[in-house]
Every structure is written in structure tokens, then in C-alpha cells.
Amino acid sequence: MKIEDKTVPIREAPTSEEIVIKIKDLRKCFGDNEVLKGFNMVLRKGENLVVMGKSGSGKSVMIKCLVGLMAPDSGIIEVLGKNIDQLDQMELDELRSDIGFLFQGSALYDSMTVRENLEFPMRRHRKKFEGITDTLPLVKEALENVGLAHTMDLMPSELSGGMKRRVALARAIILKPKLILYDEPTSGLDPITSKEIIELMRNIQHKYGTSALIITHDVDCARVISERMILLVDGINYAEGTFTELIGSQDPKVNAFFKK
Amino acid sequence: MEVDFNMVQRTKQFFEEIGDLSHFAARFFKQAVNSPFEFKELLRQCYQVGNRSLLLVVTTGFIIGLVLTLQTRPTLIEFGAVSWMPNMVGISIVREVGPVITALICSGKIASGFGAELGSMKVTEQIDAMEVSGTNPFKYLVVTRILAATLMLPLLVIFGDLIALYGSSLVEFFKGNVSFRLYFNKVFEALSFGDLIPATIKSFFFGFVIGLTGCYKGYKTGRGTAGVGIAANTAVVMASLLLFVVDFIAVFVSDIFYEL
Ligand SMILES: Nc1ncnc2c1ncn2[C@@H]1O[C@H](COP(=O)(O)OP(=O)(O)OP(=O)(O)O)[C@@H](O)[C@H]1O
Ligand SMILES: [Mg+2]
């Protein structure tokens, strides 16, 4: 494998392959805290890309810039062929209906039932559901995908952490997105539940043919799900390759990720 | 010297905060008039506001009516003016005591509630989740809450006034043998539109201030759960303080009209 340094452009995709996300020289700082210092990334269609980085390295910041929740200081972000920076609110919302987002802490609306949680994204993204008046079958399908059809009328507070994560996953896929962004899908879960979540992610990927960007610092998760990995170190895409390539690396900063 | 520096810093912070708050209010006015309108959520919030504070308003109103009458009685008797009791109590409750006490009670209940609710939604990324779902969280969460507080407060004030007058009439009934009918006849004789209208307008402003500060503090909550407690707490302090400022301005303005 080869370690990218700042000056080397990241591996360009073959022209025949469709690019889903393209990030170029992304920079973001909070006050004196320079978090991203020129991050580059490409995600191709149908691919599972894992971005790994230490806690506080700016993974969540990066993924939030991707969907327009945070404005980067500079850099170019293209998602599904659209430059995020140049979209107005309507276009941005329309683009977002093609993106599923699983938040780090699940982020279920705690004043709503599971069913209302799942119906919420459908309120505005009606265009996608032209002619569908009954949302129940869709909610059911999404919940069945994560094996929680029986929780439909429960409140989030009545669910365990793992169940919440699964409901959040169901909510992320209810709009049948082309791209799913996972912010630490397994953080805070025990190894067995983590495995279940990863299994679900793979099933969904298989069933709907989505592309996925997975942010994690869970090595096991990365091993199972990644087709390609990027290590985020010191605010840049420090290294890139397959799991086996990276785990065999001699670079101490890369090695640090895989040491038990 | 250190103290001086602190004072300067604090004064600066205070004015910055006022500026931020005005900015927030401007955003509210801008978004409140643009479609889509969240009517269903507005109704739900109105119900919540009313439901949360009704019992408190009733209890305090009743006690204030009782106490005010009991304490004024000896003095009025001394001057041989006890038959003026309904006029005096009626006017003071409707013009000042009712609105201010109700608003203070509500700032404790509603502003802190808004602060805590929105604060916890913020730190658990629920607000971000709404945004990616294509729903404008400011409109859905903030505009509805501020409107609900603004619309419901005058109703609560009227309710509180009536209960306070009822408490007062109970004292007169048992201690002065004044019938309820006579008591309320006298009250309504004493009151003019010049008393009712400024009090009602004032109540709308009170409601607005309560909703605004609660939402402002909640929406601006910092990262981490400690922020939620701070948001709820500072919301109450700020709302109560601003209530008195608004009250002062209201009394000042209505006094000018009175002279005309
Ligand atoms: N809204 C914000 N305001 C100020 N600083 C922020 C903000 N969001 C993130 N940061 C800072 O940016 C840095 C990166 O945060 P981020 O949440 O992206 O980390 P992360 O890589 O996702 O870590 P974790 O694995 O713990 O989730 C941190 O130092 C954090 O303090
Ligand atoms: Mg994170």
C-alpha cells in the first residue's frame, strides 16, 4: 500500500465509474481549533467506504459538511453530482431526500413514537412518494428490514440503545436513499449488537444497492464492511487502501489504528 | 483591576446577548410569515403551553386574590371605604397583578420547558436530523413555540384574573357578606376598556418574550448535556428580567395614552 501525502492527489476513479461523493481540499476550523486541513475523498457508486479516525479528529464535522449541516471554510463538496455550496434551500432538501443519515447518537425524536419518527422524513419529501397516501406499508417495510416491526407504537425512551440504533437505521432508509452516511453506527453498543447492526447495513446495501460512507473507529466494523478505507489523521486523508493493505502498513500513525 | 475587567467583559457579553436575541427575533418574524406553516404542531404546542401552566396559574391566581383582599380589608375599613373593595382589587388585578404574576409563573414553567426541550434536541442531534429530513427545524420547533406562547398567554392571564377575582369575592362573601353577584357587578362597573385593552396587549408581549427567550436559549445550547441545564436555567432568568422591562415600557406607554 502507499501512503498519500498532502501533495499527491488522491486516486482518481476510472471515468466509466460514477462518482457519488467528491470532496476536495476540505478545510474547517472552530476558532483556533483547526479540525480539517485539506481533506480529500472520493466515493464511487455502490461502494462501501470506511473513514477511520481518532475521537475528535473531525469525522463528524466532515460528514456534516457533506449534507450541508455545517458550512466548510473552504473546499469543494460534490454529492450525487451537485455542488453543495451552490444549492438553494429547495435543491438542498431535494438532494437530502436521496441521502440517508444515521447519526452518532441515533437522534430519534423523543417526543414522537417510532412510527412518527419514521414518517417524519416523508412529510416534506412527498415528491418521492407521488400518489402514496398510506405511509403505513412503508413504515412497516422499513421496520421489518431491521427486525423491529413490533415496536411501531413505542416511544424511543422505551427502546434499548441497540434498538434505537436500528430504528434510526430504518428512518435513514425509509426514503430509499441512493447514498447512506453512517456516523459511527456501532459506537456505544456491545460487540454482539454491533455485529447485528453491521449485518443489517450489509443487507440493506445488498437489497437496495446503495453506496455507503461509514465513519467509525471500530476496527472490527471496518474489517467486515469496508471495500476501501481512508484514515483521517491530523485533518487530512493520511492513508488510503483496503483493510488488508492498511493493516500491513509500516507507518506508525497507520499502525496505531490496528494495535489491540 | 481584575474586577473592573470583569465588569467590562460582562457588560459586553450582555449587549452581545441582546444583539443575538434581536437577531433571533428577526429570524422568527421572517420565517413566521413564509409558508409552509406548521399548523398541526402549532396547535399541539398551544395545547402543551396551556396544559402545562393552567393548574399553576389557577392556584397562584386564587391565592393572590385571597391575600390581596384580606390584606387590604383592614385599611379600607379604617377609611370607611370597604365598599370600594371590588373596584380596587378588580382594577389592580386586571391591570397589573394578574398579567405580571401569570407571566412570571409561565416564564418559570414555559421558558424553562422550551429551553430544556430544544436544548436536549440540540445536543442529541435531533435538530440536525430534522434538517436533513427536509423540515426546517426553526419553523417546526421555534416558530410554533413562540407563537403558541404568544397566543396562549393572554388566555391564561384572563383565566388567572377571573380566578383571582373569584378568590377575592370569596373573602368579601364570608367577611363582608357581599354577594357574588353584587361583587362582580361592581368589578365590571369599575373596569373600562382602558383597563382591559392595555392589559391584554401587554400579555401578548409577555407571551412573546417568554417564548422567544426559552427558544433562544434552547436553540443556542452548546455541546454536551451540561448545556441543557444551563439553557433551562438562563432562559427563566432572562425571561423574568425581560418581562419587567416590557412591563415598565407597557405601563409607560399606556400612561401616555391615558393622559391624552
Ligand atoms: N459545533 C462545534 N463548535 C466548536 N467546535 C466543534 C464543533 N463541532 C466539532 N467541534 C470540534 O471539532 C473537533 C472534531 O469534532 P468531531 O465531532 O468531528 O469529532 P469526531 O471525529 O466525530 O469524534 P468522535 O469519534 O468522538 O465522534 C473537536 O475538537 C470538536 O471539539
Ligand atoms: Mg463523531
Side-chain angles (χ1 to χ4, degrees):
Chain A
M1 78 128 255
K2 145 173 190 341
I3 293 164
E4 307 273 352
D5 87 32
K6 257 190 258 186
T7 52
V8 182
I10 82 165
R11 206 194 296 170
E12 282 295 329
T15 40
S16 63
E17 277 187 72
E18 200 179 320
I19 291 178
V20 180
I21 300 178
K22 188 170 180 180
I23 299 181
K24 241 180 146 176
D25 201 28
L26 178 67
R27 286 164 197 275
K28 175 82 185 169
C29 57
F30 299 96
D32 297 336
N33 182 8
E34 261 189 274
V35 179
L36 296 174
K37 306 174 198 166
F39 181 78
N40 294 287
M41 191 192 95
V42 165
L43 173 71
R44 296 183 196 89
K45 196 174 175 186
E47 189 182 31
N48 277 341
L49 173 64
V50 167
V51 172
M52 252 170 113
K54 278 194 308 197
S55 197
S57 57
K59 306 182 297 293
S60 297
V61 170
M62 185 270 285
I63 208 171
K64 280 181 182 171
C65 288
L66 268 179
V67 286
L69 282 173
M70 268 185 197
D73 296 339
S74 69
I76 297 169
I77 301 175
E78 279 175 27
V79 180
L80 297 168
K82 303 215 171 72
N83 188 332
I84 291 281
D85 204 31
Q86 288 161 2
L87 301 179
D88 64 24
Q89 190 62 44
M90 278 254 279
E91 293 166 325
L92 187 59
D93 281 343
E94 207 175 313
L95 175 64
R96 281 167 174 172
S97 73
D98 284 330
I99 306 173
F101 200 124
L102 182 69
F103 284 87
Q104 195 164 352
S106 300
L108 296 181
Y109 308 125
D110 42 33
S111 62
M112 302 180 198
T113 64
V114 168
R115 180 178 173 178
E116 287 163 340
N117 260 284
L118 268 70
E119 282 170 342
F120 199 86
M122 294 193 247
R123 285 162 32 91
R124 286 284 167 255
H125 297 315
R126 282 270 174 219
K127 233 187 229 171
K128 258 193 143 167
F129 301 96
E130 216 93 67
I132 297 180
T133 46
D134 188 10
T135 52
L136 187 60
L138 289 169
V139 172
K140 265 206 173 123
E141 184 192 335
L143 279 177
E144 271 160 13
N145 278 331
V146 297
L148 285 177
H150 58 285
T151 62
M152 190 130 76
D153 296 312
L154 297 183
M155 298 302 280
S157 56
E158 296 170 282
L159 305 176
S160 72
M163 287 161 94
K164 276 187 199 159
R165 199 63 56 89
R166 286 201 258 170
V167 171
L169 186 54
R171 188 177 67 183
I173 59 170
I174 195 147
L175 294 176
K176 307 266 160 58
K178 296 176 186 154
L179 162 67
I180 308 184
L181 309 176
Y182 298 94
D183 194 352
E184 308 208 12
T186 59
S187 75
L189 300 178
D190 64 82
I192 296 171
T193 315
S194 297
K195 231 179 228 158
E196 285 170 10
I197 296 279
I198 293 169
E199 201 48 46
L200 283 172
M201 288 161 62
R202 287 164 58 120
N203 287 344
I204 285 162
Q205 160 108 20
H206 193 166
K207 195 164 167 185
Y208 299 111
T210 48
S211 325
L213 173 64
I214 302 132
I215 280 181
T216 189
H217 44 208
D218 176 353
V219 178
D220 292 321
C221 173
R223 186 204 335 266
V224 181
I225 206 152
S226 70
E227 284 155 8
R228 194 161 57 91
M229 292 175 63
I230 290 180
L231 299 188
L232 170 56
V233 181
D234 302 331
I236 59 162
N237 43 315
Y238 185 76
E240 186 180 335
T242 64
F243 186 84
T244 31
E245 277 169 359
L246 288 179
I247 203 167
S249 159
Q250 298 303 314
D251 188 286
K253 280 189 181 169
V254 174
N255 245 322
F257 280 96
F258 302 99
K259 249 189 247 139
K260 282 269 160 167
Chain B
M1 270 346 255
E2 205 177 314
V3 179
D4 271 351
F5 178 71
N6 252 333
M7 286 297 288
V8 172
Q9 196 78 346
R10 278 180 170 216
T11 319
K12 199 175 145 223
Q13 263 173 14
F14 175 77
F15 282 107
E16 272 172 8
E17 182 108 54
I18 296 291
D20 271 2
L21 187 68
S22 318
H23 194 81
F24 196 79
R27 194 167 160 201
F28 162 77
F29 285 115
K30 217 162 95 188
Q31 303 226 0
V33 293
N34 286 336
S35 68
F37 304 106
E38 307 280 1
F39 281 119
K40 213 171 136 200
E41 181 64 12
L42 175 62
L43 279 183
R44 203 178 74 87
Q45 288 303 330
C46 283
Y47 173 77
Q48 290 274 337
V49 166
N51 192 27
R52 266 190 216 164
S53 19
L54 195 58
L55 192 64
L56 273 173
V57 168
V58 166
T59 320
T60 40
F62 185 69
I63 293 173
I64 290 285
L66 282 182
V67 170
L68 206 59
T69 314
L70 279 172
Q71 291 205 324
T72 327
R73 258 188 141 260
T75 321
L76 285 186
I77 286 173
E78 204 174 304
F79 290 111
V82 77
S83 64
W84 287 90
M85 181 69 89
N87 309 44
M88 212 209 83
V89 171
I91 287 185
S92 56
I93 283 177
V94 169
R95 286 191 72 130
E96 187 63 25
V97 180
V100 170
I101 296 283
T102 309
L104 279 178
I105 291 290
C106 289
S107 81
K109 193 76 187 171
I110 300 171
S112 67
F114 286 177
E117 265 170 15
L118 295 190
S120 68
M121 291 189 78
K122 177 89 185 233
V123 298
T124 57
E125 297 181 312
Q126 291 176 51
I127 292 183
D128 284 343
M130 267 187 192
E131 178 129 30
V132 275
S133 301
T135 295
N136 178 340
F138 194 89
K139 208 165 239 175
Y140 188 82
L141 299 170
V142 174
V143 171
T144 53
R145 277 176 171 76
I146 295 180
L147 280 179
T150 313
L151 294 175
M152 291 306 284
L153 208 85
L155 290 182
L156 287 167
V157 166
I158 290 172
F159 211 78
D161 286 355
L162 287 174
I163 298 285
L165 289 174
Y166 174 68
S168 164
S169 71
L170 271 183
V171 175
E172 285 299 278
F173 179 73
F174 285 110
K175 290 203 126 183
N177 241 333
V178 180
S179 78
F180 290 110
R181 201 182 163 139
L182 178 62
Y183 183 91
F184 278 97
N185 269 341
K186 281 189 139 186
V187 169
F188 288 118
E189 246 168 53
L191 288 174
S192 67
F193 277 110
D195 301 311
L196 286 175
I197 289 177
T200 309
I201 295 175
K202 187 159 85 173
S203 309
F204 276 111
F205 280 100
F206 284 170
F208 176 72
V209 163
I210 290 170
L212 182 72
T213 35
C215 290
Y216 166 75
K217 286 291 181 182
Y219 211 69
K220 282 198 33 148
T221 303
R223 291 144 47 82
T225 35
V228 180
I230 298 173
N233 187 288
T234 50
V236 180
V237 175
M238 193 167 180
S240 319
L241 200 75
L242 284 178
L243 281 180
F244 283 105
V245 175
V246 170
D247 190 40
F248 174 71
I249 296 172
V251 170
F252 196 74
V253 170
S254 60
D255 197 51
I256 292 173
F257 275 101
Y258 204 70
E259 307 241 306
L260 289 180

